Amino acid sequence: MSIERAMDILRKYPLCNHCLGRLFARLGTGLDNEERGRAIKDYLLMRIHERILNEGLSDELLNDVKALAVSGHEPSIKFLSNMGINVSPARCYVCGDTIFNRLNEWVNNIVNSLRSLGIEFRSFRLGSRVPLDIQNRELSITTEFNISSAESIKREINRELGKRVSAMLGVSFNREEPDVEVVIDVNTGSVEVQIMPIYISARYRKVHRLINEEGQVKWPIDRVIQAYNAQDVVIHTGGEDPMGVRVLGNGRPVILQVVKPSKRPDVNDVYALLKDSGYDIVLDNLSRVRASAVVKMKARVRDYVITYRVLAITDNSVTNENIKSLHDYFRNRQVVQVFRRGRRIRRRISMVYELDGRVIRDRLVEFLIRCQGNLYIRGFVHGGLGDVEPSIAGTLGFSVRPVEIDILNISD
Ligand SMILES: [Zn+2]
């Protein structure tokens, strides 16, 4: 895109400095669009002036100076008035002169909205709603003149507002992970603010065996809410614990979504507040993560490798011989679980990688089972009604009832 095209454009459409400069946004570093638009108009006038000096004044050259003057270029207006020609500038074809003289007004609206929240934030992202007719007129010019170096008016508005808000509040602009998001409606000047959640990844251990089916597991969520002065906390876990199972060892992955936090303390300071034996859940390894970490964690659950300890009561005595044959049989063995819902049948395949066991007393056996994260552990032990195949009970040929299950390790 050559700057020469600028004259073609201005002959047809009066553009303010911002809207002209934006069409050539990729040219000239260290200039903002206003300066760039102004520089292009200065350059065009100087070239016309040079040609007038060399070739004499023609209608063509005079009309070009008039086009520059109509676009609000002061030196061109002055140039013409020296010749006794008065030209008054027209409104910018794209923005109608309704945008860039109102930036400071909008900055004040934004700053007031953010201050009135009374929350702590260090970064923000800013967006704007720009009337469609403005965007369409801009697009029609870039299309008509085949311009590839343009920046959109939205981007310029967002950047210009962002710079000023950043300077006034001493907070940084962050496109990826802002603490708050601001959207200004350019039509009405109204501002919407969204407080972005904080995501904290951790490992949790469930240290008590909750045998009461109604029993709610007590997470230290009230402490987290307090630490962030937040509205709520949503718990995203990597998989679910079977009822009554303790989670020991390195714990299970979890991400806490802190909703509408008013404070943003360091996770290490929050960690200190969670140390209390009054909760069923112990959280460790806290770190800040992005929102996308939740989806990534959920996608990994199938591939977790979980080590269970299962204490089981059997109908018949279990011999060391039995244990050895179970151990040999369940080495990298596929287990199929069948779900029936009405006439629909769904199969889930899980891997059992390794199984060990020891007889504690006559009919009391402890198993150590290393398996894929999606294995239905209880069903794998007792066999269900034949809907988990093969199972420990099915392989032994008599009933095996799990009485205690613990998760000893989760590799994620
Ligand atoms: Zn304009």
Side-chain angles (χ1 to χ4, degrees):
M1 177 66 199
S2 145
I3 292 179
E4 313 300 325
R5 309 290 311 267
M7 197 63 242
D8 296 338
I9 297 166
L10 290 177
R11 278 187 198 116
K12 202 164 170 190
Y13 304 106
L15 296 180
C16 72
N17 292 343
H18 284 274
C19 293
L20 180 66
R22 225 170 33 248
L23 296 174
F24 302 91
R26 298 225 183 113
L27 305 178
T29 51
L31 295 174
D32 64 29
N33 287 325
E34 218 244 320
E35 293 165 336
R36 185 177 293 108
R38 164 75 195 239
I40 291 169
K41 290 175 185 175
D42 287 344
Y43 164 76
L44 291 173
L45 178 63
M46 284 190 279
R47 274 188 20 133
I48 296 165
H49 196 180
E50 188 181 31
R51 282 184 62 195
I52 291 173
L53 294 176
N54 290 339
E55 307 162 17
L57 186 62
S58 64
D59 280 355
E60 182 207 338
L61 294 174
L62 187 62
N63 285 337
D64 281 355
V65 183
K66 281 181 183 166
L68 284 168
V70 168
S71 78
H73 187 230
E74 284 297 334
S76 298
I77 293 171
K78 217 166 170 190
F79 188 96
L80 291 171
S81 88
N82 287 342
M83 298 168 65
I85 303 170
N86 284 319
V87 172
S88 38
R91 281 176 179 275
C92 172
Y93 172 75
V94 170
C95 71
D97 299 337
T98 58
I99 301 283
F100 296 100
N101 49 0
R102 296 183 63 195
L103 291 179
N104 284 335
E105 175 194 330
W106 295 333
V107 166
N108 283 332
N109 292 358
I110 292 167
V111 166
N112 290 338
S113 297
L114 287 171
R115 282 193 175 136
S116 70
L117 289 174
I119 63 157
E120 185 186 319
F121 66 99
R122 295 182 200 98
S123 63
F124 70 104
R125 175 166 64 203
L126 195 147
S128 53
R129 270 194 280 279
V130 177
L132 210 57
D133 56 325
I134 292 182
Q135 297 187 59
N136 285 342
R137 287 196 295 270
E138 174 175 63
L139 189 65
S140 74
I141 291 185
T142 52
T143 309
E144 180 178 346
F145 293 91
N146 192 23
I147 294 168
S148 58
S149 57
E151 176 187 55
S152 75
I153 190 165
K154 261 175 104 111
R155 265 191 75 169
E156 182 178 14
I157 293 171
N158 296 349
R159 193 185 49 247
E160 289 302 320
L161 292 175
K163 270 196 306 207
R164 294 169 208 209
V165 171
S166 177
M168 276 179 84
L169 293 176
V171 292
S172 63
F173 186 83
N174 184 334
R175 196 184 307 279
E176 299 294 321
E177 271 189 296
D179 292 347
V180 293
E181 182 174 64
V182 181
V183 177
I184 176 133
D185 188 319
V186 158
N187 238 346
T188 61
S190 64
V191 178
E192 284 166 33
V193 180
Q194 201 187 342
I195 303 168
M196 305 305 273
I198 293 173
Y199 293 86
I200 303 162
S201 142
R203 306 287 292 210
Y204 74 84
R205 283 175 296 137
K206 206 179 267 182
V207 288
H208 302 131
R209 192 182 307 287
L210 297 162
I211 43 171
N212 175 9
E213 301 257 327
E214 304 294 315
Q216 287 289 309
V217 179
K218 222 175 144 209
W219 288 71
I221 289 309
D222 50 341
R223 294 286 174 91
V224 179
I225 289 179
Q226 195 187 348
Y228 289 93
N229 195 9
Q231 191 181 75
D232 198 5
V233 169
V234 181
I235 302 166
H236 305 276
T237 59
E240 279 175 29
D241 306 318
M243 185 68 72
V245 168
R246 290 189 299 179
V247 182
L248 309 173
N250 63 346
R252 188 185 284 279
V254 61
I255 293 175
L256 304 177
Q257 180 184 353
V258 183
V259 180
K260 295 202 174 169
S262 305
K263 291 192 280 184
R264 294 180 178 263
D266 191 271
V267 281
N268 294 319
D269 298 334
V270 177
Y271 180 61
L273 299 172
L274 304 179
K275 298 267 156 221
D276 191 319
S277 57
Y279 300 104
D280 302 318
I281 296 287
V282 177
L283 288 165
D284 275 307
N285 294 340
L286 271 63
S287 66
R288 279 286 297 271
V289 289
R290 294 182 170 215
S292 58
V294 176
V295 175
K296 282 185 194 150
M297 177 186 71
K298 297 271 185 195
R300 292 269 315 138
V301 172
R302 257 190 103 253
D303 299 321
Y304 286 0
V305 177
I306 301 184
T307 306
Y308 289 99
R309 170 188 163 271
V310 180
L311 197 64
I313 294 174
T314 58
D315 266 9
N316 295 359
S317 296
V318 173
T319 62
N320 287 335
E321 200 74 354
N322 289 142
I323 300 278
K324 184 168 185 318
S325 62
L326 285 172
H327 171 80
D328 293 344
Y329 183 66
F330 285 107
R331 175 167 288 276
N332 296 325
R333 173 78 51 185
Q334 256 188 13
V335 173
V336 180
Q337 187 194 348
V338 179
F339 299 88
R340 291 187 180 80
R341 181 169 289 172
R343 294 176 64 189
R344 284 228 324 271
I345 293 181
R346 201 161 58 82
R347 285 183 171 75
R348 183 164 71 191
I349 294 173
S350 317
M351 287 300 293
V352 171
Y353 301 110
E354 201 176 358
L355 186 154
D356 264 314
R358 67 188 175 101
V359 180
I360 292 177
R361 269 200 326 266
D362 186 28
R363 284 162 45 231
L364 187 65
V365 187
E366 182 189 67
F367 295 107
L368 287 179
I369 300 157
R370 202 161 63 82
C371 60
Q372 202 178 338
N374 64 355
L375 179 73
Y376 168 37
I377 185 68
R378 235 180 265 281
F380 172 65
V381 176
H382 62 53
L385 296 166
D387 46 9
V388 181
E389 230 348 276
S391 66
I392 293 179
T395 308
L396 288 173
F398 48 79
S399 162
V400 181
R401 286 184 311 272
V403 288
E404 276 184 20
I405 303 179
D406 292 328
I407 290 174
L408 300 186
N409 188 75
I410 298 178
S411 304
D412 62 306

